[in-house]
Each structure stands twice: as C-alpha cells, then as structure tokens.
Amino acid sequence: MAIRPSALAAAGGALLCAVLTAATPALAAGADQVTVSPTAALGQDGSVTLSGTYRCTGSGPVFLAANLRTGDIQQSLGSSRAVCDGAEHAWSSQDTPRYLTLSSGGPAEAEVSLVRLDTSGGLPLPQPLAVQHQKVTLAPAAG
C-alpha cells in the first residue's frame, strides 16, 4: 500500500497543530514576566527602592535591571542575577540616584527588564525576555 505525499503532509500538519494547541496553555503559564510595585520607597538619605516580582525559565545567565525616570532624566538603580526556575520570585533594587531630584517624592516612571545573555555566537549579546514600564509614586519609606 502506497501512501500519497499529500495525505502524509495533511496528517503531519494535523498532528503538529494538535501538539502546538496542547502546549500553548503551558507556554503561556510559564512565560517570562516581570512586575513593578506601583509605590517606590524613598529613603531619608535620598535612596530609592523599587520592588516587584519576576518569573523566568530556561538556561543561561539572566539579569534583572531596574531604571527610574523623572522628567527627561533616567537613571539605573542597578541589576541583579535572576533565578530562572519557573517559580515566581520577589525582587528589589535600591540605589541613591545622583542625577534625579527626588527629595519631595511624587510621580516617576520605572522600567524593569529581564535580560538573558545569549552566548551562542561567542560574544554575549543581551536578549530581552520581559520588560515592564510602570508609573510609580515615590513615597517616604516606612520606619
């Protein structure tokens, strides 16, 4: 019995669609993501603490980088290594911005990124996994 190529292609296509459809909810649930708290803590010494959660999967070095913007000035609040095990993790980043005037608190914008360093080509190149832009309110830190 001979199998016609068109019948084989149709069966293969149907199987591929079934596999992708079944896998889609799992991929969405495990997708790389990062969140930012809507309130950033402003210390008496001028330091700012941003916080939130992240989730990532896969291998290779991944970093979480946080930036804060007021007006036309943006400054990094640092970066840290992320644990990419598929679980949700809390993060926080604290620094004293040199170029931002934050003494009175008020509105600002945060940008937080999960970035994987792709070393497949030899030279490590940043590969964004998730980026979150969030309006935040700078408020005096509790305590």
Side-chain angles (χ1 to χ4, degrees):
M1 175 176 154
I3 298 177
R4 295 189 333 209
S6 60
L8 186 58
L15 179 61
L16 180 60
C17 285
V19 168
L20 289 177
T21 301
T24 299
L27 290 175
D32 300 320
Q33 59 187 8
V34 63
T35 67
V36 181
S37 228
T39 303
L42 180 59
Q44 290 181 348
D45 61 355
S47 65
V48 175
T49 303
L50 289 174
S51 61
T53 62
Y54 73 90
R55 176 189 323 257
C56 56
T57 58
S59 61
V62 175
F63 295 89
L64 186 138
N67 295 294
L68 187 68
R69 173 186 295 275
T70 59
D72 292 336
I73 301 173
Q74 179 171 316
Q75 184 166 346
S76 170
L77 293 183
S79 65
S80 58
R81 183 88 186 249
V83 176
C84 292
D85 58 5
E88 184 174 273
H89 297 275
W91 68 268
S92 69
S93 188
Q94 179 182 33
D95 200 357
T96 303
R98 295 182 187 166
Y99 307 109
L100 302 176
T101 304
L102 307 172
S103 59
S104 62
E109 294 179 39
E111 177 185 284
V112 180
S113 306
L114 276 176
V115 179
R116 179 180 318 280
L117 291 182
D118 180 5
T119 58
S120 63
L123 181 64
L125 297 174
Q127 175 189 30
L129 300 177
V131 177
Q132 177 66 36
H133 295 271
Q134 173 78 40
K135 291 185 182 206
V136 296
T137 301
L138 298 168

